[in-house]
Amino acid sequence: MKKWIVALFLVMGVFFLLPENGNAAANHVIQVTLKANDKTASSDNVKKWNQMMEEASANKGEINQVTIPAGTYYFDSTLLIPSNVTLSGKGAAESKFVFTKAVTGVSGIIKNKTPGAGIQLENVTIKDLTLTYDTTGKSDGANIIQFSPGFDEENRANYKLIKNIRLENLIVDAKEIGSSTISLSRVQTAQVVNNQVKNSGKQNGIALEFTSGATISGNVVTNSGKSGIQLYRFNGGPNAIDKIIVSNNVVTDWMQRFGFYSYERAYQTDPNTENYIMADSGIDSYGPENTNLLISGNVLKAGTPGQELPDNTKLREKYGAARFPENMLLLNAIRLTGATNVVVENNQVSLNGKDILAFMSSNQRIRGEYTTKPSNILVRNNQFSGDGVIRYPIRLFEVQVGSGRGIEFTGNGFHFSQGSTIANYYKAVAEVRGTSQKLAFSNNIITSKEGKVKFLVSVNGTGITLKELVTTNNLLNGKTFSAARGTYSRVPTISAPIYKTGTKTLSGIFESPVAKVRLWKNGKVLSQAQTNGNVFVFSNAST
């Protein structure tokens, strides 16, 4: 017995000596030689950083721990990080990295960017720090955190170069300088969790492309130039491990700067540019080839009741009301362009003001040889509310069927304030503007001032059709609502509770074009239901 006890303790001892990642030996501690609280040390701190990272690079197979003491550390150029580094502060309020020029702040050491080169950078964690700027300089291309190597767009095979990136408990404030605040590309497995992401430049708060197996969760993303969280293109993949999860984030006030910049650029190319309508989203799939996405539990809020986006004001002041008779730059909450196999659930959306395009939109994306049309998208149990001028609460193009589903809306709430206006011609909740295969609405609740909403679905445009429309048990101000218009084919639906043996009364709801509901048993008609509107009742169901 004693021999067995000794053996057990030996095994347990070996177990507890294993490192966290199971691959490397115990962490190697890098001594921090940076000078704190001295802006004049910004160049010298970069040199010291490079020396620290040379030591980390030499410790191959080890996790190199770099712990930044409390203080503010200034740098005047980009800090490069090799593989197997955990960079942490004493807390984001205590340890701060400040860049004195408009440069990319932190990036990775990647020696070979060629597709097919294999993983070049892995196992990098940055946590418990503030990263920001202290400069009047400008840059259109800088990102405070950028693990995003350039690539040959014509060859997308074997693209991943980076593996296992984690960004946690950071305050990342771009001070409206540069491009995106956090940019990740060509990454296999990433976590961006519990960060404050503020004041991006012209682009996005958090941006992904060519990335799989990413979780963006628990972040607060505020005042973004373009989109709050953007899934640009070629994100996700067919397997469970490839899923992109965007969950439990709070995203506020996007589309704050990019519209003005983009119009200016278009105007310089063509001074006759007009009708330059542009909308970006709190959570945005740009596409193509974004697949296997979960967008869950997020809070999205933008706009101010009665007010317009600041870039619309700037454009009108600069170019005059004759060129801008109506506002061209608009808010979208969730865009699913070039996206397939998506679940959007349990999100809360609030859009306000004069410049609302849509709560949700979806379209195809064509880029070179790649075309992705939206399919297999489930939108359930979300709450959408609007206070202002809402062009198209839902706007859809080119919806296809995947795994039996086109786009399905179920259990959602659509709430329009008493002063809101639905500004599309037919006053429809959902507008279909590109020929589509299948659209389903069930158990959604719509509240609006009487007369503001006239159709649940409107299929608009010459030659535009919707092959299958399914509507079941949707309510407008407490009344059954299934009105649709345009060229479409409605699929007959009946909903009723599960019948229990001995039940005498059985009731449910039917939708046009169903005209009669009958009870059958063993191939024979037992009775026909009484109907009132679209409600049917059997009073003798137990016969």
Side-chain angles (χ1 to χ4, degrees), residues 258-443:
F258 185 77
F260 182 85
Y261 163 79
S262 184
Y263 181 86
E264 291 264 89
R265 188 173 56 182
Y267 183 77
Q268 290 169 7
T269 303
D270 179 8
N272 296 315
T273 294
E274 293 182 358
N275 299 323
Y276 189 81
I277 295 176
M278 179 181 184
D280 270 288
S281 306
I283 298 175
D284 180 37
S285 165
Y286 186 87
E289 297 291 320
N290 287 329
T291 190
N292 197 3
L293 315 178
L294 173 63
I295 300 171
S296 177
N298 302 283
V299 175
L300 297 93
K301 183 176 181 180
T304 302
Q307 296 186 19
E308 63 184 14
L309 288 173
D311 274 6
N312 280 317
T313 304
K314 288 172 62 178
L315 285 171
R316 189 174 295 104
E317 289 175 349
K318 183 168 183 176
Y319 294 99
R323 180 173 287 276
F324 286 95
E326 60 178 320
N327 290 356
M328 303 289 186
L329 309 176
L330 306 173
L331 292 167
N332 198 351
I334 299 172
R335 179 167 67 170
L336 300 176
T337 294
T340 61
N341 306 313
V342 184
V343 175
V344 180
E345 63 182 6
N346 301 320
N347 301 285
Q348 298 180 39
V349 171
S350 176
L351 297 182
N352 306 292
K354 299 179 178 181
D355 301 327
I356 304 169
L357 176 71
F359 296 136
M360 202 200 90
S361 66
S362 189
N363 199 349
Q364 67 178 345
R365 179 68 66 193
I366 302 172
R367 190 179 182 96
E369 63 185 273
Y370 296 93
T371 298
T372 304
K373 297 185 178 184
S375 69
N376 192 20
I377 296 173
L378 175 60
V379 184
R380 65 185 176 194
N381 302 331
N382 304 280
Q383 296 297 318
F384 301 99
S385 65
D387 184 358
V389 179
I390 304 142
R391 273 72 172 175
Y392 311 95
I394 300 169
R395 201 177 198 208
L396 307 173
F397 298 76
E398 305 292 340
V399 178
Q400 306 299 297
V401 174
S403 300
R405 178 183 287 129
I407 298 183
E408 178 182 348
F409 293 84
T410 183
N412 303 286
F414 298 92
H415 310 290
F416 305 96
S417 71
Q418 291 294 300
S420 290
T421 299
I422 296 178
N424 65 74
Y425 182 81
Y426 293 104
K427 310 299 181 187
V429 174
E431 181 188 61
V432 178
R433 286 299 298 265
T435 291
S436 296
Q437 297 297 308
K438 189 173 184 178
L439 177 61
F441 282 83
S442 64
N443 302 304

Side-chain angles (χ1 to χ4, degrees), residues 32-52 72-79 96-98:
V32 175
T33 58
L34 305 173
K35 186 174 183 181
N37 307 318
D38 184 356
K39 193 172 183 179
T40 65
S42 60
S43 293
D44 193 45
N45 274 345
V46 173
K47 295 176 183 177
K48 291 179 178 179
W49 175 269
N50 291 337
Q51 291 169 355
M52 292 160 53
T72 300
Y73 300 84
Y74 293 92
F75 306 91
D76 65 1
S77 59
T78 302
L79 305 181
K96 302 177 182 180
F97 279 13
V98 179

Side-chain angles (χ1 to χ4, degrees), residues 15 26 40 140 175 184 423 440 443 485 506:
F15 173 80
T40 65
D140 289 338
K175 300 287 183 70
L184 303 180
N443 302 304
R485 64 156 306 281
L506 179 66

